[in-house]
Amino acid sequence: MIITHTLSDGTVEELSTDDLTAREAADIEAAMGGSQWQRIEALLQLQDPTALRAVVWIFRRREQADLKFDDFDIPGWRRRLKARITRPEIEDALSNLMLQAISSKSEDTQIDLLAPHLRKLAQDPADVDAALDGLGKGHLVKRRQDSED
């Protein structure tokens, strides 16, 4: 997951949760009251201010070792922080959906429902279409494009 942080000078900083160490992830879990990492990822997708702040805090703590989570804040967080998912995360979500939908034979319908959400969260919305192509579901992209015309 990529957290974009627009600094006060307008510079956009990208922080990837893939760059966290296991210890840093555990420190985020502890700062978030013991939440498990899967819950934190879900909160990030929901643009939760505490989860977003925790990720930025842990990166800042690399430069300022004594920085306490309770003392760290980001004014204007709503316009300055965004969580976005990466292509591998999109592929994982679609693969999991396919596995769950196989038994019900409704994967196209479920993908049609999930794809707009994935596009909204994606760092690059085109990654959703590429991931669908990779799963052999490129016809859903064509169908969506045809309905927009």
Side-chain angles (χ1 to χ4, degrees), residues 69-109:
F69 181 64
D70 289 340
D71 297 335
F72 181 72
D73 199 7
I74 301 171
W77 72 270
R78 191 177 294 273
R79 70 177 181 283
R80 296 177 63 196
L81 295 176
K82 293 280 184 254
R84 296 290 178 243
I85 56 177
T86 61
R87 180 150 176 197
E89 291 165 323
I90 293 165
E91 290 170 349
D92 286 348
L94 289 171
S95 293
N96 289 337
L97 178 76
M98 293 283 291
L99 288 172
Q100 293 171 4
I102 285 174
S103 62
S104 66
K105 308 247 191 272
S106 66
E107 64 252 10
D108 285 5
T109 301

CSV table of all heavy atoms in Angstrom, one decimal, residues 69-109:
chain,number,residue,atom,x,y,z
A,69,PHE,N,4.3,8.5,19.2
A,69,PHE,CA,3.1,8.5,18.4
A,69,PHE,C,2.0,9.5,18.9
A,69,PHE,O,1.4,10.2,18.1
A,69,PHE,CB,2.5,7.1,18.3
A,69,PHE,CG,1.2,6.9,17.5
A,69,PHE,CD1,1.3,7.2,16.1
A,69,PHE,CD2,0.0,6.6,18.0
A,69,PHE,CE1,0.2,7.1,15.3
A,69,PHE,CE2,-1.1,6.5,17.3
A,69,PHE,CZ,-1.0,6.7,15.9
A,70,ASP,N,1.9,9.5,20.2
A,70,ASP,CA,0.9,10.4,20.8
A,70,ASP,C,1.2,11.9,20.5
A,70,ASP,O,0.3,12.8,20.6
A,70,ASP,CB,0.7,10.2,22.3
A,70,ASP,CG,0.0,8.9,22.5
A,70,ASP,OD1,-0.7,8.3,21.6
A,70,ASP,OD2,0.1,8.3,23.7
A,71,ASP,N,2.5,12.2,20.3
A,71,ASP,CA,2.9,13.6,20.0
A,71,ASP,C,2.9,14.0,18.6
A,71,ASP,O,3.1,15.1,18.2
A,71,ASP,CB,4.3,13.8,20.6
A,71,ASP,CG,4.4,13.6,22.1
A,71,ASP,OD1,3.3,13.8,22.8
A,71,ASP,OD2,5.5,13.3,22.6
A,72,PHE,N,2.7,13.0,17.7
A,72,PHE,CA,2.8,13.2,16.2
A,72,PHE,C,1.4,13.5,15.6
A,72,PHE,O,0.5,12.8,15.9
A,72,PHE,CB,3.4,12.0,15.6
A,72,PHE,CG,3.6,12.1,14.1
A,72,PHE,CD1,4.6,12.9,13.6
A,72,PHE,CD2,2.8,11.5,13.2
A,72,PHE,CE1,4.7,13.1,12.2
A,72,PHE,CE2,2.9,11.6,11.8
A,72,PHE,CZ,3.9,12.4,11.3
A,73,ASP,N,1.3,14.5,14.8
A,73,ASP,CA,0.1,14.9,14.2
A,73,ASP,C,0.3,15.4,12.8
A,73,ASP,O,1.4,15.8,12.5
A,73,ASP,CB,-0.7,15.9,15.0
A,73,ASP,CG,-2.1,16.0,14.7
A,73,ASP,OD1,-2.7,15.2,13.9
A,73,ASP,OD2,-2.8,16.9,15.2
A,74,ILE,N,-0.7,15.4,12.0
A,74,ILE,CA,-0.6,15.9,10.6
A,74,ILE,C,-1.8,16.9,10.4
A,74,ILE,O,-3.0,16.4,10.2
A,74,ILE,CB,-0.6,14.8,9.6
A,74,ILE,CG1,0.6,13.9,9.8
A,74,ILE,CG2,-0.6,15.4,8.2
A,74,ILE,CD1,0.6,12.7,9.0
A,75,PRO,N,-1.6,18.2,10.6
A,75,PRO,CA,-2.7,19.1,10.3
A,75,PRO,C,-3.2,19.0,8.9
A,75,PRO,O,-2.5,18.8,7.9
A,75,PRO,CB,-2.1,20.5,10.5
A,75,PRO,CG,-0.8,20.2,11.3
A,75,PRO,CD,-0.4,18.8,10.9
A,76,GLY,N,-4.5,19.1,8.7
A,76,GLY,CA,-5.1,19.0,7.4
A,76,GLY,C,-5.0,17.6,6.8
A,76,GLY,O,-4.9,17.5,5.6
A,77,TRP,N,-5.0,16.6,7.6
A,77,TRP,CA,-4.8,15.2,7.2
A,77,TRP,C,-5.7,14.8,6.0
A,77,TRP,O,-5.3,14.1,5.1
A,77,TRP,CB,-4.9,14.2,8.3
A,77,TRP,CG,-6.3,14.0,8.8
A,77,TRP,CD1,-6.9,14.7,9.8
A,77,TRP,CD2,-7.2,13.1,8.3
A,77,TRP,NE1,-8.2,14.3,9.9
A,77,TRP,CE2,-8.5,13.3,9.0
A,77,TRP,CE3,-7.2,12.1,7.3
A,77,TRP,CZ2,-9.6,12.5,8.8
A,77,TRP,CZ3,-8.3,11.3,7.1
A,77,TRP,CH2,-9.5,11.6,7.8
A,78,ARG,N,-7.0,15.2,6.1
A,78,ARG,CA,-8.0,14.8,5.1
A,78,ARG,C,-7.5,15.1,3.6
A,78,ARG,O,-7.8,14.4,2.7
A,78,ARG,CB,-9.3,15.4,5.4
A,78,ARG,CG,-10.4,14.7,4.6
A,78,ARG,CD,-11.8,15.3,5.0
A,78,ARG,NE,-12.2,14.9,6.3
A,78,ARG,CZ,-12.8,13.8,6.7
A,78,ARG,NH1,-13.1,12.9,5.8
A,78,ARG,NH2,-13.2,13.6,7.9
A,79,ARG,N,-6.9,16.3,3.5
A,79,ARG,CA,-6.5,16.7,2.1
A,79,ARG,C,-5.1,16.3,1.8
A,79,ARG,O,-4.6,16.3,0.7
A,79,ARG,CB,-6.8,18.2,1.9
A,79,ARG,CG,-5.9,19.1,2.6
A,79,ARG,CD,-6.1,20.6,2.3
A,79,ARG,NE,-5.2,21.4,3.1
A,79,ARG,CZ,-5.4,21.7,4.3
A,79,ARG,NH1,-6.4,21.3,5.0
A,79,ARG,NH2,-4.5,22.5,4.9
A,80,ARG,N,-4.3,16.0,2.9
A,80,ARG,CA,-2.9,15.8,2.7
A,80,ARG,C,-2.5,14.3,2.7
A,80,ARG,O,-1.4,14.0,2.2
A,80,ARG,CB,-2.1,16.5,3.8
A,80,ARG,CG,-2.3,18.0,3.7
A,80,ARG,CD,-1.6,18.7,4.8
A,80,ARG,NE,-0.2,18.5,4.8
A,80,ARG,CZ,0.6,18.8,5.8
A,80,ARG,NH1,0.2,19.3,6.9
A,80,ARG,NH2,1.9,18.6,5.6
A,81,LEU,N,-3.3,13.4,3.2
A,81,LEU,CA,-3.0,12.0,3.3
A,81,LEU,C,-4.0,11.1,2.5
A,81,LEU,O,-5.2,11.3,2.6
A,81,LEU,CB,-3.0,11.5,4.7
A,81,LEU,CG,-2.0,12.1,5.7
A,81,LEU,CD1,-2.2,11.5,7.1
A,81,LEU,CD2,-0.6,11.8,5.2
A,82,LYS,N,-3.4,10.2,1.7
A,82,LYS,CA,-4.3,9.2,1.0
A,82,LYS,C,-3.6,7.9,0.9
A,82,LYS,O,-2.4,7.8,0.7
A,82,LYS,CB,-4.5,9.7,-0.5
A,82,LYS,CG,-5.3,10.9,-0.7
A,82,LYS,CD,-6.8,10.6,-0.6
A,82,LYS,CE,-7.6,11.9,-0.8
A,82,LYS,NZ,-8.1,12.5,0.3
A,83,ALA,N,-4.3,6.8,1.1
A,83,ALA,CA,-3.8,5.5,1.0
A,83,ALA,C,-4.3,5.0,-0.4
A,83,ALA,O,-5.4,5.1,-0.8
A,83,ALA,CB,-4.3,4.6,2.1
A,84,ARG,N,-3.3,4.3,-1.1
A,84,ARG,CA,-3.6,3.8,-2.4
A,84,ARG,C,-3.0,2.3,-2.5
A,84,ARG,O,-2.0,2.1,-1.9
A,84,ARG,CB,-3.0,4.6,-3.5
A,84,ARG,CG,-3.6,6.0,-3.6
A,84,ARG,CD,-5.0,5.9,-4.1
A,84,ARG,NE,-5.6,7.3,-4.2
A,84,ARG,CZ,-6.6,7.6,-3.5
A,84,ARG,NH1,-7.2,6.8,-2.7
A,84,ARG,NH2,-7.1,8.8,-3.6
A,85,ILE,N,-3.7,1.5,-3.2
A,85,ILE,CA,-3.2,0.1,-3.3
A,85,ILE,C,-2.4,0.0,-4.6
A,85,ILE,O,-2.6,0.7,-5.6
A,85,ILE,CB,-4.4,-0.9,-3.3
A,85,ILE,CG1,-5.5,-0.6,-4.3
A,85,ILE,CG2,-5.0,-1.0,-1.9
A,85,ILE,CD1,-6.6,-1.7,-4.4
A,86,THR,N,-1.5,-1.0,-4.5
A,86,THR,CA,-0.6,-1.2,-5.7
A,86,THR,C,-1.1,-2.4,-6.5
A,86,THR,O,-2.0,-3.1,-6.1
A,86,THR,CB,0.8,-1.6,-5.1
A,86,THR,OG1,0.7,-2.8,-4.4
A,86,THR,CG2,1.4,-0.4,-4.3
A,87,ARG,N,-0.5,-2.5,-7.7
A,87,ARG,CA,-0.9,-3.6,-8.6
A,87,ARG,C,-0.9,-5.0,-7.9
A,87,ARG,O,-1.9,-5.8,-8.1
A,87,ARG,CB,-0.1,-3.6,-9.9
A,87,ARG,CG,-0.6,-4.7,-10.8
A,87,ARG,CD,-0.4,-4.4,-12.2
A,87,ARG,NE,-0.7,-5.5,-13.0
A,87,ARG,CZ,-0.4,-5.6,-14.3
A,87,ARG,NH1,0.4,-4.7,-14.8
A,87,ARG,NH2,-0.7,-6.6,-15.0
A,88,PRO,N,0.2,-5.4,-7.2
A,88,PRO,CA,0.1,-6.7,-6.6
A,88,PRO,C,-1.0,-6.8,-5.6
A,88,PRO,O,-1.6,-7.9,-5.5
A,88,PRO,CB,1.5,-6.8,-5.9
A,88,PRO,CG,2.4,-5.9,-6.6
A,88,PRO,CD,1.5,-4.7,-7.1
A,89,GLU,N,-1.4,-5.8,-4.9
A,89,GLU,CA,-2.5,-5.8,-4.0
A,89,GLU,C,-3.8,-6.0,-4.8
A,89,GLU,O,-4.8,-6.7,-4.3
A,89,GLU,CB,-2.6,-4.6,-3.1
A,89,GLU,CG,-1.4,-4.6,-2.1
A,89,GLU,CD,-1.2,-3.2,-1.5
A,89,GLU,OE1,-1.3,-2.2,-2.1
A,89,GLU,OE2,-0.8,-3.2,-0.3
A,90,ILE,N,-3.9,-5.3,-5.9
A,90,ILE,CA,-5.1,-5.5,-6.8
A,90,ILE,C,-5.2,-6.9,-7.3
A,90,ILE,O,-6.3,-7.5,-7.2
A,90,ILE,CB,-5.0,-4.5,-7.9
A,90,ILE,CG1,-5.2,-3.0,-7.5
A,90,ILE,CG2,-6.1,-4.8,-9.0
A,90,ILE,CD1,-4.8,-2.0,-8.5
A,91,GLU,N,-4.1,-7.4,-7.7
A,91,GLU,CA,-4.1,-8.8,-8.2
A,91,GLU,C,-4.5,-9.8,-7.1
A,91,GLU,O,-5.2,-10.7,-7.3
A,91,GLU,CB,-2.7,-9.2,-8.8
A,91,GLU,CG,-2.4,-8.4,-10.1
A,91,GLU,CD,-1.0,-8.5,-10.6
A,91,GLU,OE1,-0.1,-9.0,-9.8
A,91,GLU,OE2,-0.8,-8.1,-11.7
A,92,ASP,N,-4.0,-9.6,-5.9
A,92,ASP,CA,-4.3,-10.4,-4.8
A,92,ASP,C,-5.8,-10.4,-4.5
A,92,ASP,O,-6.5,-11.4,-4.3
A,92,ASP,CB,-3.6,-10.0,-3.5
A,92,ASP,CG,-2.1,-10.4,-3.5
A,92,ASP,OD1,-1.7,-11.2,-4.4
A,92,ASP,OD2,-1.4,-10.0,-2.7
A,93,ALA,N,-6.4,-9.2,-4.5
A,93,ALA,CA,-7.8,-9.0,-4.2
A,93,ALA,C,-8.7,-9.7,-5.3
A,93,ALA,O,-9.6,-10.4,-4.9
A,93,ALA,CB,-8.2,-7.5,-4.1
A,94,LEU,N,-8.3,-9.5,-6.5
A,94,LEU,CA,-9.1,-10.2,-7.6
A,94,LEU,C,-8.9,-11.7,-7.6
A,94,LEU,O,-9.9,-12.4,-7.8
A,94,LEU,CB,-8.6,-9.6,-9.0
A,94,LEU,CG,-9.1,-8.2,-9.2
A,94,LEU,CD1,-8.4,-7.6,-10.5
A,94,LEU,CD2,-10.6,-8.1,-9.3
A,95,SER,N,-7.7,-12.2,-7.3
A,95,SER,CA,-7.5,-13.6,-7.2
A,95,SER,C,-8.3,-14.2,-6.0
A,95,SER,O,-8.9,-15.3,-6.2
A,95,SER,CB,-6.0,-13.9,-7.0
A,95,SER,OG,-5.3,-13.6,-8.1
A,96,ASN,N,-8.3,-13.5,-4.9
A,96,ASN,CA,-9.1,-14.0,-3.8
A,96,ASN,C,-10.6,-14.0,-4.1
A,96,ASN,O,-11.3,-15.0,-3.8
A,96,ASN,CB,-8.9,-13.2,-2.5
A,96,ASN,CG,-7.5,-13.4,-1.9
A,96,ASN,OD1,-6.9,-14.4,-2.1
A,96,ASN,ND2,-7.0,-12.4,-1.2
A,97,LEU,N,-11.0,-13.0,-4.8
A,97,LEU,CA,-12.4,-12.9,-5.2
A,97,LEU,C,-12.8,-14.1,-6.1
A,97,LEU,O,-13.8,-14.7,-6.0
A,97,LEU,CB,-12.7,-11.6,-5.9
A,97,LEU,CG,-14.1,-11.5,-6.4
A,97,LEU,CD1,-15.1,-11.2,-5.3
A,97,LEU,CD2,-14.2,-10.3,-7.4
A,98,MET,N,-11.9,-14.4,-7.1
A,98,MET,CA,-12.1,-15.5,-8.0
A,98,MET,C,-12.2,-16.8,-7.3
A,98,MET,O,-13.1,-17.6,-7.6
A,98,MET,CB,-10.9,-15.5,-9.0
A,98,MET,CG,-10.8,-14.4,-10.0
A,98,MET,SD,-12.0,-14.4,-11.3
A,98,MET,CE,-11.4,-15.8,-12.2
A,99,LEU,N,-11.3,-17.0,-6.3
A,99,LEU,CA,-11.4,-18.3,-5.6
A,99,LEU,C,-12.7,-18.4,-4.8
A,99,LEU,O,-13.3,-19.5,-4.8
A,99,LEU,CB,-10.2,-18.4,-4.6
A,99,LEU,CG,-8.8,-18.6,-5.2
A,99,LEU,CD1,-7.7,-18.5,-4.2
A,99,LEU,CD2,-8.7,-20.0,-5.9
A,100,GLN,N,-13.1,-17.3,-4.2
A,100,GLN,CA,-14.4,-17.4,-3.5
A,100,GLN,C,-15.6,-17.5,-4.4
A,100,GLN,O,-16.6,-18.2,-4.1
A,100,GLN,CB,-14.6,-16.1,-2.7
A,100,GLN,CG,-13.6,-16.0,-1.5
A,100,GLN,CD,-13.6,-14.7,-0.9
A,100,GLN,OE1,-14.4,-13.8,-1.2
A,100,GLN,NE2,-12.7,-14.4,0.1
A,101,ALA,N,-15.5,-17.0,-5.6
A,101,ALA,CA,-16.7,-17.0,-6.5
A,101,ALA,C,-16.8,-18.2,-7.4
A,101,ALA,O,-17.8,-18.5,-8.0
A,101,ALA,CB,-16.6,-15.7,-7.4
A,102,ILE,N,-15.7,-19.0,-7.5
A,102,ILE,CA,-15.7,-20.1,-8.4
A,102,ILE,C,-16.9,-21.1,-8.0
A,102,ILE,O,-17.6,-21.5,-8.9
A,102,ILE,CB,-14.4,-20.9,-8.3
A,102,ILE,CG1,-13.4,-20.1,-9.1
A,102,ILE,CG2,-14.5,-22.3,-8.9
A,102,ILE,CD1,-12.0,-20.6,-9.1
A,103,SER,N,-17.1,-21.3,-6.8
A,103,SER,CA,-18.2,-22.3,-6.4
A,103,SER,C,-19.5,-21.7,-6.7
A,103,SER,O,-20.5,-22.4,-6.9
A,103,SER,CB,-18.1,-22.6,-4.9
A,103,SER,OG,-18.2,-21.5,-4.1
A,104,SER,N,-19.7,-20.4,-6.7
A,104,SER,CA,-21.0,-19.8,-7.0
A,104,SER,C,-21.2,-19.4,-8.5
A,104,SER,O,-22.3,-19.0,-8.8
A,104,SER,CB,-21.2,-18.6,-6.1
A,104,SER,OG,-20.3,-17.6,-6.5
A,105,LYS,N,-20.2,-19.6,-9.3
A,105,LYS,CA,-20.2,-19.2,-10.7
A,105,LYS,C,-20.6,-17.8,-11.0
A,105,LYS,O,-21.3,-17.5,-11.9
A,105,LYS,CB,-21.2,-20.2,-11.4
A,105,LYS,CG,-20.9,-21.7,-11.2
A,105,LYS,CD,-20.5,-22.3,-12.5
A,105,LYS,CE,-20.4,-23.8,-12.3
A,105,LYS,NZ,-19.3,-24.4,-11.8
A,106,SER,N,-20.3,-16.9,-10.0
A,106,SER,CA,-20.7,-15.5,-10.2
A,106,SER,C,-19.5,-14.6,-10.2
A,106,SER,O,-19.6,-13.4,-9.8
A,106,SER,CB,-21.6,-15.1,-9.0
A,106,SER,OG,-20.9,-15.2,-7.8
A,107,GLU,N,-18.3,-15.1,-10.6
A,107,GLU,CA,-17.1,-14.3,-10.5
A,107,GLU,C,-17.2,-13.0,-11.3
A,107,GLU,O,-16.8,-11.9,-10.9
A,107,GLU,CB,-15.9,-15.0,-10.9
A,107,GLU,CG,-15.8,-15.5,-12.3
A,107,GLU,CD,-15.9,-17.0,-12.4
A,107,GLU,OE1,-16.3,-17.7,-11.5
A,107,GLU,OE2,-15.7,-17.4,-13.6
A,108,ASP,N,-17.8,-13.0,-12.5
A,108,ASP,CA,-18.0,-11.8,-13.3
A,108,ASP,C,-18.8,-10.7,-12.6
A,108,ASP,O,-18.4,-9.5,-12.6
A,108,ASP,CB,-18.6,-12.1,-14.7
A,108,ASP,CG,-17.6,-12.7,-15.7
A,108,ASP,OD1,-16.4,-13.1,-15.2
A,108,ASP,OD2,-17.9,-12.9,-16.8
A,109,THR,N,-19.9,-11.1,-12.0
A,109,THR,CA,-20.7,-10.2,-11.3
A,109,THR,C,-20.0,-9.6,-10.1
A,109,THR,O,-20.0,-8.4,-9.9
A,109,THR,CB,-22.0,-10.9,-10.8
A,109,THR,OG1,-22.7,-11.4,-12.0
A,109,THR,CG2,-22.9,-10.0,-10.1
